Every structure is written in structure tokens, then in C-alpha cells.
Amino acid sequence: MRFRHPDGSTVHLAYCTNVHPAETLDGVLAQLRDHCEPVRRRLGRDRLGIGLWLAHDAAHTLVSEPSALRGLRRELDRRGLEVVTLNGFPYQGFGADEVKYRVYKPDWADPERLDHTTALARVLAGLLPDDVTEGSISTLPLAWRTAAGDDRTDTARTALRTLAERLDALQELTGRSVRVGLEPEPGCVIETTGDAIAPLTAIGHDRIGICVDTCHLATSFEDPHTALDALTEAHVPVVKSQLSAALHAEQPHLPEVREALAAFAEPRFLHQTRTTTDAGLRGTDDLGEALTGRALPDTAPWRAHFHVPLHEAPAAPLTSTLPVLKAALTRLVGGPRPLTHHLEVETYTWQALPPQLRPRARAQLADGIAAELTLARDLLTDLGLKELP
């Protein structure tokens, strides 16, 4: 979906296909047929943007076989789909029964991460629509915190500088500009947008910026306006933003709130949980850890890294951080000039919701994703953007 900003530029809205995990190119092609095109049809659109997640094997096939890349591009066109952004955070296995800490491997100190992201950039340059010259890729924020040391952090920064050089060369070769955004996430070396400023300034290249995920922003209790103002002042480019909402518990000390939260503690993904204290932010690596014992103070609200559907807040006594998303979006694209032109709805946890909330069939999932995109579209038009055909 495309929108005209009042400044005349185009803002792209997509939804991320990591909600339909596939490891191979055949699996990606099936996603387009079984999920993405049905979502487009529900929205009544001739064209729908998707943020592709390409696992290592699928990306390798596309970059090593030009005919495969041309075939994917044709299939996108045939189904009324377009790609301007990729989710390069998960490397592989995102559809496994247990993902948890595995999603942070390989990190930016491992050569496989640089090679994979380079491949994604080459693929994206070949998938961009004919009238689009700029693409974006989100990636993990260096590493999970316990995997980082000074040597590995230095290696990671060197790898990102090498990536920037490769992206420069890619533009010279193809005429397409691809930028990569580190995505701050609780528990990682770069947990907040503030944590991103120093390393990105040190890298010092406008092709390497930040991806602002509004669920992560909220989980860390960051104020959107303060965070985005700091990024602007530091000249850190917002490469893309993932529109997502976290789980919010206003009174975590109450038994009924604990019981409601426990329904979201599931074995597949990490759900880092945070609260604020006089001494600063406190947290646990997972929601289950927060609910057992006294690992986390419960005198102030909790927020958990669980991407809940944008259009439908959890039932009381829980809610979502949709207000944080709205505030961030106002700052991202509601001003005289957009801070980013790439927006991506990223609710990948539909099948990790409590059983009674999960979609039971493809049609229900398509309905839910279409409803999320409709909400995002309405927020954009309320900010003065005009939906384009």
C-alpha cells in the first residue's frame, strides 16, 4: 500500500511475512498464493506491499540462481504484490516449535550474518518495483547481550562497515539504494533507541541506520517523541519502522492479572518483560520468569514483548501499547517531512496467542492481517497522508 505524504513523497505500508514462516523458495511462493494474495483481495486493493522474510536457504537460492529471482519477481507481479523491504532479523528456523534465543544467531560478529545480509540486499535490489529506487532491510541489533564482548562488538561494527561498502557498490551496479536498520530489542546489546546512537554514529554511514519497532520501544518504556527526537538530533537515519504493539499489564500484583498474563507465556518465542523502578528499568528475559517468584517488582505496570494484534487489544485486565504506536507514527510521518518512508505491520505471534484467540484457519488469519492493515491505513490517512491506487 502506498500513500502520498503532504510533502509529495511516497510512504510505503506493508505487512511482514514472518507470520507465515517458510525456509525455502517453494515455501515463499506458497505464502504468496495462500496468504498474501488473499489479504490483498480482502482489502480490495490492486497492489499490496509485503515485507518478505527470507530464510537463509531461500535467500541463497535467489542470489545464486538469477532465474529463480526473476521467477519470484514475476510471481509478485502476477499476484498484485510488491516488495520494498525485507525482514533480515531471523536467519532461519523462525517457524520452529521453539525459537527463543536461537533467533539471535548468527550475530554480527559471525561472518554468516554479513554474508546473509549481503545476499538479502542483492535480492531486494532485484525485487524492487520499477518505479522504486530505495529498499530497506531490518536486522538484529548486533547481538544478544550475553554473546557480546569488546572483541566481538568490534568485529560486528567492522562487519557493518563492510556491509555499507557493499551497499555502495550495489547501488553503483544496479541504481538501487538499499539501507539496513539495526532493530533495538530488549535483552540485546542495543536494547533501546538510545543505545543505538553511539554505535551507529561510530559506524558513520547513512546506509546503516535504525529500524524502530514500536512494540520494542514500548516494552522498554521509551517515550516515542523523546526517542525519535534524539535520533533526529544525532542524524541517525530511521531506515524503517515496524508497527507493532506490546502486552501491557497495569496492575501486575493482582492475581487475576497474573492469571491473564500466564496465558501468554508460551514456549516458542522469548517474551522479554520490563517494568520501571526508581533505579531504572528492570526486566526478565521471558514472561514466565517474571511470573514465577519475585524476579520482577510488581508495584508498577509490566510490559511484555509479545506482538499482539493491532486492531484487537487483549481482554481486560490486560491491554496493548497501541497508544505508543500511534504516538510514534505521529512523529514518524505526521510532521512536515517523514522520518521514514517504509512502514511494516509485524505481528508474527498469531499462532502463539492463547489458544482461544488463535486463528483456526487461513481465512481467519487473512481477516486478522487485513484488519491490522486497515487500522494502520486509517491512522495514516488521519495524519494527512493520501492513499494511492
Side-chain angles (χ1 to χ4, degrees):
M1 300 169 75
R2 299 186 184 192
F3 298 81
R4 180 73 68 211
H5 190 273
D7 76 344
S9 64
T10 300
V11 173
H12 295 265
L13 173 66
Y15 91 88
C16 186
T17 65
N18 62 353
V19 65
H20 322 297
E23 298 294 316
T24 65
L25 178 56
D26 285 344
V28 172
L29 295 172
Q31 288 175 350
L32 306 185
R33 179 193 68 227
D34 296 339
H35 300 289
C36 302
E37 186 176 9
V39 171
R40 177 184 65 77
R41 292 185 181 280
R42 279 163 171 75
L43 292 166
R45 304 287 305 172
D46 293 332
R47 174 176 54 189
L48 176 67
I50 58 171
L52 272 182
W53 173 61
L54 297 171
H56 171 264
D57 288 351
H60 178 76
T61 299
L62 290 167
V63 81
S64 60
E65 299 179 18
S67 62
L69 183 57
R70 291 192 297 268
L72 176 57
R73 174 66 185 273
R74 286 194 302 270
E75 190 69 1
L76 288 165
D77 291 342
R78 186 169 79 88
R79 299 194 181 278
L81 306 169
E82 66 177 14
V83 175
V84 302
T85 189
L86 300 180
N87 186 333
F89 197 134
Y91 181 77
Q92 61 187 9
F94 201 61
D97 291 339
E98 182 179 332
V99 179
K100 298 289 185 181
Y101 295 95
R102 298 176 187 176
V103 76
Y104 307 106
K105 287 292 187 178
D107 62 35
W108 273 102
D110 298 319
E112 294 87 354
R113 177 60 66 171
L114 174 60
D115 292 344
H116 177 58
T117 310
T118 302
L120 292 178
R122 293 172 59 188
V123 169
L124 182 56
L127 293 180
L128 288 175
D130 292 339
D131 61 345
V132 175
T133 59
E134 295 188 359
S136 62
I137 301 171
S138 49
T139 189
L140 81 162
L142 299 186
W144 183 255
R145 68 180 187 280
T146 56
D150 290 342
D151 290 346
R152 289 184 63 81
T153 299
D154 289 343
T155 299
R157 292 179 181 175
T158 298
L160 286 164
R161 292 189 185 98
T162 300
L163 175 66
E165 294 170 358
R166 293 180 180 179
L167 296 177
D168 284 341
L170 182 66
Q171 182 170 16
E172 290 183 12
L173 181 66
T174 66
R176 305 297 181 91
S177 173
V178 175
R179 297 191 299 167
V180 172
L182 304 184
E183 181 185 332
E185 177 166 318
C188 291
V189 173
I190 298 175
E191 174 157 341
T192 66
T193 57
D195 294 337
I197 291 175
L200 287 173
T201 302
I203 292 167
H205 200 296
D206 62 5
R207 292 199 193 278
I208 311 297
I210 193 169
C211 168
V212 176
D213 183 302
T214 58
C215 169
H216 303 173
L217 190 79
T219 301
S220 294
F221 287 88
E222 291 193 80
D223 174 73
H225 294 286
T226 302
L228 292 167
D229 285 348
L231 293 174
T232 301
E233 184 176 349
H235 303 288
V236 172
V238 181
V239 170
K240 66 185 280 190
S241 179
Q242 289 172 327
L243 306 182
S244 53
L247 191 63
H248 180 94
E250 185 68 20
Q251 297 179 298
H253 65 284
L254 296 178
E256 59 268 29
V257 175
R258 294 291 187 110
E259 182 179 357
L261 283 171
F264 288 84
E266 53 83 38
R268 187 171 174 187
F269 300 112
L270 275 187
H271 302 295
Q272 301 95 312
T273 304
R274 298 290 185 267
T275 190
T276 55
T277 71
D278 291 341
L281 203 64
R282 289 276 303 276
T284 59
D285 284 356
D286 215 346
L287 178 57
E289 181 185 353
L291 290 169
T292 58
R294 300 185 178 276
L296 202 61
D298 60 7
T299 55
W302 286 3
R303 289 178 179 172
H305 173 216
F306 195 118
H307 291 221
V308 296
L310 302 186
H311 67 292
E312 193 170 11
L318 305 178
T319 187
S320 81
T321 60
L322 185 63
V324 176
L325 183 159
K326 291 179 178 178
L329 195 61
T330 298
R331 184 67 181 88
L332 286 165
V333 299
R337 290 178 300 278
L339 298 185
T340 184
H341 290 88
H342 291 179
L343 304 172
E344 179 183 59
V345 171
E346 197 215 10
T347 304
Y348 60 84
T349 44
W350 282 92
Q351 298 301 337
L353 290 167
Q356 70 276 16
L357 301 179
R358 295 174 194 168
R360 295 184 297 276
R362 287 177 185 170
Q364 285 184 310
L365 178 58
D367 289 343
I369 294 170
E372 289 193 295
L373 286 166
T374 297
L375 181 147
R377 179 195 65 195
D378 292 347
L379 292 176
L380 290 174
T381 56
D382 287 347
L383 290 171
L385 282 74
K386 179 181 179 182
E387 187 176 7
L388 297 175

